[in-house]
Amino acid sequence: MSDIRKKVDALVRPEIRSLSAYHVPDASGLVKLDAMENPYAWPAELKAGWLDALGRVPVNRYPDPGARALKEQLRSALGVPEGAGLLLGNGSDELIQILLLALARPGACALAPEPTFVMYRMIATLVGMPFVGVPLREDFALDRAAMRKAIAAHRPAVVFLAYPNNPTGNLFDRADVEAVLAESPGLVVVDEAYHAFAGDSLMAGLGSSDRLLVMRTLSKQGLAGLRLGVLAGPGAWLEELDKVRLPYNINSLTQASAAFAVAHAAAFEAQCARIRADRERLYGELTKLAGVRAWPSRANFILFRVESRPADEVFARLRRAGVLVKNLNAAGGPLAGCLRVTVGTPEENDAFIAALKDAL
Ligand code: PMP
């Protein structure tokens, strides 16, 4: 072992050394259907107005640390109830990190059903907090008895519920979510990253519990590059979390772009409506293929299992044909044999289906 390796191993915490960095594959030249992005560019009719707004941003000054104007706009655009507060993050990833940094203390743990969004577990590990994963049922519903048992045994400081869930695409039963909320001693974060495609939300219920937080992001609605996540909930929690947030976490260009986008939300909603309709078409196409099992989705992606060939081989063939999807096979368990495709433009979806037929 070289000298530097010894020094690294001696100083960096073992749980971090044993992690793999979040891997983002190179998608150059490929039809990119791996990351739940909106395939449509910034609406053309809004471009001149947006660039004009950006041209007026004083980038020689620090951003407004509290992003006050943007928060006010978001509050009404997202229907945040009276009495709830907002915290903004550099993507919802940063909000998860802020939450876990604030809650990590000896004896505290985080809990989520699995499979789910991998960053809950990863960030918990990074901040030195034990993470309890509770298997979903075979149909990807919450396992109410298993959740109850795990919550009673571990008394988690926070439970994350992705609603709809990634990568399975389903909305959990509302009564199951409410049971988790009733049975949890700590915070319950309902992560509504895919809200634009879901048709249900717990936002209006924020006032009903003092332990519920609802998280949103602009990422899936055409603004992934801006990095803006929103956490809504009781002010008493958010005031503490705000102390963990770095002062200028939302840069000026993001604040100005998001404010402009929120003021012109209809153009982005039109894109989401298109994606919702195309999701149903894509699901219909997938269910027609022999050797493929697809799960219905309330998000902008579809989970499917390839049963006639090894998933790694199908993934590689798709990639050779110029289509990048997400390969979940290595996660094993209920995701063995599974790939996940993001809904693209109609042309991209057609290219994917054609390539999948060849690959099978
Ligand atoms: N929550 C869920 C459930 C997600 O799937 C994702 C993105 N894959 C995120 C949060 C992170 O989104 P953001 O871009 O806001 O960090």
Side-chain angles (χ1 to χ4, degrees), residues 22 35-36 90-94 96 117 120 162 164 166 191 193-194 215-220 224 227-229:
Y22 190 85
M36 284 82 98
N90 189 340
S92 28
D93 287 347
E94 191 193 31
I96 300 166
F117 182 41
Y120 307 142
N166 167 22
D191 178 353
Y194 300 97
M215 192 160 67
R216 297 269 181 92
T217 176
L218 299 191
S219 291
K220 318 297 171 184
R227 310 302 298 128
L228 189 75

Side-chain angles (χ1 to χ4, degrees), residues 292-349:
V292 170
R293 163 151 191 222
W295 282 270
S297 167
R298 301 288 288 272
N300 65 341
F301 57 84
I302 297 174
L303 181 74
F304 64 100
R305 180 177 287 135
V306 287
E307 288 167 339
S308 50
R309 264 181 194 283
D312 292 349
E313 195 182 310
V314 174
F315 173 78
R317 284 177 174 222
L318 284 170
R319 201 186 161 117
R320 274 201 298 279
V323 179
L324 183 65
V325 297
K326 177 84 175 176
N327 186 357
L328 297 163
N329 182 44
L335 297 178
C338 286
L339 305 177
R340 184 191 66 201
V341 62
T342 305
V343 181
T345 63
E347 299 72 34
E348 289 173 335
N349 300 336

Side-chain angles (χ1 to χ4, degrees), residues 8-265:
V8 169
D9 288 353
L11 290 177
V12 175
R13 284 187 279 136
E15 65 270 28
I16 292 182
R17 280 187 280 122
S18 64
L19 283 176
S20 311
Y22 190 85
H23 173 64
V24 180
D26 179 15
S28 344
L30 300 173
V31 172
K32 189 172 185 316
L33 301 177
D34 64 328
M36 284 82 98
E37 292 144 328
N38 170 335
Y40 300 105
W42 185 280
E45 69 277 17
L46 300 182
K47 198 140 193 184
W50 171 44
L51 293 178
D52 185 52
L54 287 183
R56 283 183 276 111
V57 175
V59 287
N60 58 316
R61 302 290 176 195
Y62 283 107
D64 171 4
R68 285 161 301 179
L70 176 58
K71 268 192 195 167
E72 270 323 298
Q73 255 185 302
L74 284 167
R75 162 177 287 287
S76 61
L78 305 187
V80 178
E82 211 47 50
L86 286 184
L87 184 76
L88 304 186
N90 189 340
S92 28
D93 287 347
E94 191 193 31
L95 292 168
I96 300 166
Q97 185 185 51
I98 288 173
L99 267 159
L100 294 176
L101 279 170
L103 299 174
R105 66 200 286 176
C109 73
L111 182 147
E114 283 189 315
T116 191
F117 182 41
V118 293
M119 293 308 281
Y120 307 142
R121 180 185 276 278
M122 185 161 175
I123 297 173
T125 306
L126 286 173
V127 306
M129 200 173 184
F131 179 90
V132 179
V134 181
L136 289 170
R137 279 182 9 193
E138 214 198 346
D139 61 357
F140 298 139
L142 283 174
D143 184 333
R144 210 143 143 179
M147 288 294 284
R148 184 182 305 121
K149 208 167 144 200
I151 287 168
H154 298 282
R155 308 212 34 93
V158 58
V159 175
F160 289 99
L161 295 176
Y163 188 81
N165 191 39
N166 167 22
T168 55
N170 56 316
L171 269 178
F172 298 130
D173 189 278
R174 188 72 185 236
D176 290 348
V177 172
E178 273 150 23
V180 168
L181 187 56
E183 286 157 13
S184 295
L187 279 171
V188 175
V189 178
V190 175
D191 178 353
E192 298 186 350
Y194 300 97
H195 168 72
F197 316 98
D200 194 32
S201 167
L202 274 86
M203 188 68 89
L206 268 186
S208 66
S209 163
D210 61 7
R211 291 171 296 104
L212 172 65
L213 299 177
V214 174
M215 192 160 67
R216 297 269 181 92
T217 176
L218 299 191
S219 291
K220 318 297 171 184
Q221 295 152 66
L223 302 168
L226 292 186
R227 310 302 298 128
L228 189 75
V230 185
L231 189 65
W237 292 110
L238 299 187
E239 276 161 32
E240 298 304 321
L241 298 177
D242 201 41
K243 298 176 191 170
V244 179
R245 182 181 66 85
L246 295 176
Y248 304 113
N249 65 330
I250 313 298
N251 75 70
S252 313
L253 297 176
T254 291
Q255 289 190 32
S257 299
F260 189 89
V262 172
H264 297 87

